[in-house]
Amino acid sequence: MAFNLSQWALRNRSLVIYFMIVAVVAGIFSYNRLGRAEDPTFVIKTMVVQAAWPGATMEDTLNQVTERLERTLQETEKLDFLRSYTKPGVATIFVNLRGDTTAREVRDIWDEVRRNVGDMRSTLPMGIVGPGFNDNFGDTFGIIYGFTADGFGHRELRDHVEDVRSELLKVPDVSQIEILGAQDEKIFVEFSVEELATLGIDRSALVRALHSQNIVRPGGTIETGDETLSLRVSGAFTSEQDVLNVNFAVGDRTLRLSDIATVRRGFSDPPQPLFRVNGKPAIGLAIAMRDGGDILALGENITRVMEKLKANLPIGIEPQLVADQAVTVDGAISEFMTSLWQAIAIILVVSFISLGVRAGLIIALSIPLTLAIVFSIMDLTGIDMQRISLGALIIALALMVDDAMTVTDATLTRLAAGDSKEEASAFAFRTYAFPMLAGTLVTIAGFVPVGFAASSAGEYTFSLFAVVTIALLVSWGVAVIFAPLLCTAILKVPEPTAETKPSKVLGIYRGFLTRAVRAKGLTIAATLGAFIASLLGLPLIPSQFFPSSDRPELLVDLRLPQNASIFATQDVAERIDATLRDDDDVARWSTYVGRGAIRFYLPLDVQLPNAFFAQAVVVAKDVAARERLHKKLEALLSKDFPQIVGRISPLELGPPVGWPVQYRVSGPDISVVRDIALKLANVVAANPQAEHVNFDWIEPTREVRIVVDQDEARQLGLSSEALASVLNTVVSGNTVTQVRDNIYLVDVVVRATDEQRVSLATLRNIQVSLPGGRTVPLSQFATFEYTQDQPVVWRRDRVPTLTVQANVSGGTLPETVVTALAQNVEVLRKELPIGYSIVEGGTVEESQKSQASVVAVVPLMLLIMFTVLMIELRSFQRLALVLSVGPLGLIGVVGALLVSGRPLGFVAILGILALLGMITKNAVILIGQIESERAKGQDVATAAIEASSTRFRPIMLTAISTVLGMIPIAPTVFWGPMAFSIMGGLLVATLLTLVFLPTLYAAWFGWRSARTEGGTQQPAAQ
């Protein structure tokens, strides 16, 4: 006799009840322990490698620094592509790994990159600073405070912010805190070029005097019989006055620095990246959480500490919360938990109405028991509660009660047939346990592409596969172990005299099915016609990668011409601030000048620090206010800021993309690439749905080239090196030493006065010291000319690459625009010279890569499905019948998406794949039921009708529960497309499973039986 797990549970009731109690207690404990996050963590597989060669030209930097580094970096294991950003004297390279690289491999690869670059560093030019490495590019700073000061200077404000930072670093789960907008202090020693020349003072002597007095050197130690005495030499600078008091010899005279120069304390000039809060200059603290921490607990701890620290801050220094991921996560989880409870309530109502109070109570008890075990396993496996895992729980909720409904329904049927409670409760295991398990495994297989897609999008949605898998396996165990026990305790044996009449719904269905089986050809043809119509309607559904977030933030990108100074960028930012200050839709905002916003949100497309770029993060009062604000800011930028490239966008969901429409133009010659990009921009701009067409780089900038007469210079005893050093000291300033001020190091910068540094006329007349002590004007041996050069060059895989970028008009999807442009872009692509290319980027490229990663795993999904089905069915004919139903769910998917207007994106495709498993599960159990009826001696058609009538209630209950259970998440931005796909697809597929499948079975096996036995249908094992 085969082992019956349900029968074992009934014989060991006390043990099973004990395990039920343990499961519930453990589930409650685990639920409170589970980490909370907004989005699932995924590794940003990017490292930034940066090297500087001060004074180098663009060409030299490209050829001698960027090219050499990229050749080495191209040898990186699992490299996807390199992107480099080169400015004169600075090379920045982004090393991007393939999507299938695991988190553990990423760490090892970054160590390999460091070693490889370290080995080749000797081949780089002399004077290279770096290379430096940043492999924490993906760190998320979810909590940001901005500190503004009224009546305090920047240094005083920074002192207090540093004190706050020191205290916050002690808070548990804080991994790092970055300071935003702080300006390093400088001591400027400013001199008049003419005055130094008149006095015959060599600037190098001044520099040597400053450096030699402030240097730190050991004075030695004296060992006595009792102690060790250290010798310290005085002279170190502690203030500006110490610098002013420096003496140095000029010929036979001794001068003080105060006699020939002005010494003042100030801040970095030009400024370092600035930070503003609600239109006021501020210093920010961005707080990152350690891996595996609980953002809600961290938020509470930070808030508690900040309340104490705020009380100790002087009046006038005000900390303001700029970003609080803890509040966002708390709201998101509360919203999803509300949706979860709503889904549970819907399923319970369906169960109570359709099965009755007692049977519905079994389902009601099975749900929390299943969830408790699921929470425990999530806790053990480190799966947090976040957007994806909570959505997965809602998706799995209806699926997890399917098995309990099947067991309960089968038990009710056997009790009505006269079996005892124990026999009836054990009957379901004998009849349905393995078909249910096979169906469960097939459903899980439908989520395999989600779990094993080798891409960032796949990594982002992995917990969907994990949670659904856990929930379905647990639900099967609950159905065959705990549900029979509940059935014996709760269900009543019906009275022997009671007549069980079939419901009207079942009667209508049975009559319709009978007519459908009789009209086999018409039923099959109509179904195939509907399927073909759905295939034809598929292109009508708009495509999408990931939707925008429903958070109230707006990102306002402001990009000036790439030769713009940070002062010009600051002016634009302040004008935007003035507009936001009086807007009723704005709750608060922060502005980053000279850089993009720090990664306060994991999928953020982080921008590089650049003087010509600013970004504002505007928090609207709600989503409706966000949309109103979006339109107002779009109009403002178009009208009042025509000189900047502006982009206003909500936060993205899924892996960061940036501009939605992108085309990369690549080729060896930058001028040819520019010409192609201009033509392509005209093609893109011709589409009315493409807005704000721009380039990531294209415009050249002016520069002043000083052409030195080398022969004349050598006769004077000068070199280009000495001249460049003199000019750098006079114009930009040269750091000669440092003043140690508390925890700060203050650079001492020697330079000319302001009016002399910004005038070309002054530069022409600058006096250059000669070795003999004389001076000559620069114009005597050099001429000035204006030239043009690229301020920046982007490359991809060592080839210059210029990206044409565009936004899309409201309500339009990027895929729609790219599809409309495809023909014209292809015409331009055919005209390209050899070696040049145009490649789609942006949302379309990421979507294609992510979908390709899913499709790549589909063969594994099909293999698992086919294997499980063959083990269960053991017949190619039955396998073909089961598989014929799965694709028919597309009829409902296409209809639901067209009616709802939802796009077919990455999440919707995951829903379609999962739907395939759900449909197949129902088909497997129904085929098994038909075979059981035929084994009783019924003919094929009768067996198909009887089996379908028997399975009608549990299949329809599951479908209705699933469809109604999706209602709470259907309106959401992220889960909406998947919810509508499953709702429409499952509803239609369920009806087809109950009508088309038995009709097809009767047609095929009826024809086979008639052919085999001369027209007489007899039951036969197939």
Side-chain angles (χ1 to χ4, degrees), residues 109-120:
I109 290 172
W110 294 154
D111 290 339
E112 176 196 347
V113 168
R114 285 185 169 87
R115 288 194 300 270
N116 292 344
V117 173
D119 291 342
M120 61 78 63

Side-chain angles (χ1 to χ4, degrees), residues 767-812:
Q767 297 295 314
V768 180
S769 300
L770 301 178
R774 295 186 303 112
T775 60
V776 295
L778 179 61
S779 58
Q780 179 173 329
F781 58 90
T783 58
F784 290 69
E785 61 183 38
Y786 284 103
T787 61
Q788 285 190 334
D789 199 1
Q790 293 294 337
V792 60
V793 173
W794 278 96
R795 308 203 318 175
R796 186 181 176 98
D797 290 333
R798 298 172 49 214
V799 179
T801 301
L802 202 160
T803 303
V804 180
Q805 308 171 139
N807 218 340
V808 293
S809 58
T812 305

Side-chain angles (χ1 to χ4, degrees), residues 143-222:
I143 300 175
I144 302 175
Y145 279 92
F147 294 79
T148 56
D150 184 6
F152 292 86
H154 186 84
R155 168 61 189 270
E156 294 173 298
L157 175 61
R158 184 171 183 181
D159 287 341
H160 288 289
V161 172
E162 288 283 2
D163 292 340
V164 171
R165 178 175 182 267
S166 297
E167 292 301 316
L168 291 179
L169 282 170
K170 301 175 184 177
V171 176
D173 285 349
V174 171
S175 64
Q176 60 175 311
I177 301 178
E178 185 169 325
I179 293 185
L180 307 173
Q183 303 296 307
D184 291 335
E185 283 192 296
K186 308 284 184 183
I187 293 177
F188 295 104
V189 179
E190 297 177 334
F191 54 84
S192 168
V193 176
E194 288 83 357
E195 185 177 351
L196 290 187
T198 301
L199 295 173
I201 298 174
D202 186 356
R203 282 177 294 273
S204 61
L206 186 153
V207 170
R208 283 196 301 271
L210 290 170
H211 183 70
S212 60
Q213 179 171 331
N214 194 46
I215 198 166
V216 177
R217 288 285 186 271
T221 57
I222 297 176

Side-chain angles (χ1 to χ4, degrees), residues 25 33 73 97 113 350 405 410 417 438 471 486 587 597 617 693 795 857 907:
V25 173
R33 273 173 42 91
L73 293 171
L97 302 182
V113 168
V350 172
M405 281 185 174
L486 296 173
V617 181
V693 180
R795 308 203 318 175
V857 191
V907 179

Side-chain angles (χ1 to χ4, degrees), residues 128-383:
I128 286 289
V129 179
F133 307 89
N134 178 12
D135 56 358
N136 295 321
F137 190 63
D139 287 352
T140 302
F141 298 82
I143 300 175
I144 302 175
Y145 279 92
F147 294 79
T148 56
D150 184 6
F152 292 86
H154 186 84
R155 168 61 189 270
E156 294 173 298
L157 175 61
R158 184 171 183 181
D159 287 341
H160 288 289
V161 172
E162 288 283 2
D163 292 340
V164 171
R165 178 175 182 267
S166 297
E167 292 301 316
L168 291 179
L169 282 170
K170 301 175 184 177
V171 176
D173 285 349
V174 171
S175 64
Q176 60 175 311
I177 301 178
E178 185 169 325
I179 293 185
L180 307 173
Q183 303 296 307
D184 291 335
E185 283 192 296
K186 308 284 184 183
I187 293 177
F188 295 104
V189 179
E190 297 177 334
F191 54 84
S192 168
V193 176
E194 288 83 357
E195 185 177 351
L196 290 187
T198 301
L199 295 173
I201 298 174
D202 186 356
R203 282 177 294 273
S204 61
L206 186 153
V207 170
R208 283 196 301 271
L210 290 170
H211 183 70
S212 60
Q213 179 171 331
N214 194 46
I215 198 166
V216 177
R217 288 285 186 271
T221 57
I222 297 176
E223 300 283 348
T224 69
D226 298 322
E227 61 183 337
T228 300
L229 299 176
S230 298
L231 303 182
R232 295 283 182 259
V233 179
S234 67
F237 297 149
T238 59
S239 66
E240 302 94 299
Q241 190 60 43
D242 292 340
V243 178
L244 280 169
N245 292 336
V246 170
N247 295 325
F248 58 97
V250 179
D252 56 354
R253 295 175 298 167
T254 300
L255 296 177
R256 279 187 188 276
L257 185 62
S258 58
D259 297 332
I260 61 170
T262 301
V263 177
R264 64 180 179 87
R265 186 181 286 239
F267 297 98
S268 297
D269 183 20
Q272 296 163 286
L274 303 166
F275 182 60
R276 301 170 62 82
V277 174
N278 296 334
K280 297 179 181 179
I283 296 178
L285 288 181
I287 305 167
M289 182 180 70
R290 68 168 179 83
D291 291 342
D294 185 340
I295 187 65
L296 297 184
L298 177 64
E300 291 175 0
N301 293 334
I302 292 290
T303 300
R304 185 167 55 252
V305 173
M306 280 299 300
E307 287 297 324
K308 295 179 181 177
L309 296 175
K310 185 178 179 180
N312 297 325
L313 290 174
I315 297 175
I317 294 180
E318 188 68 28
Q320 301 178 55
L321 194 59
V322 173
D324 190 354
Q325 196 177 37
V327 172
T328 304
V329 170
D330 189 33
I333 289 179
S334 298
E335 181 180 342
F336 265 102
M337 291 307 295
T338 301
S339 299
L340 182 63
W341 302 133
Q342 288 174 349
I344 291 174
I346 290 170
I347 291 171
L348 291 180
V349 169
V350 172
S351 301
F352 281 120
I353 292 175
S354 57
L355 296 176
V357 175
R358 290 181 176 273
L361 185 59
I362 296 172
I363 307 300
L365 294 174
S366 297
I367 290 175
L369 186 58
T370 303
L371 285 176
I373 300 174
V374 170
F375 287 144
S376 300
I377 298 176
M378 286 175 63
D379 186 23
L380 290 173
T381 54
I383 300 175

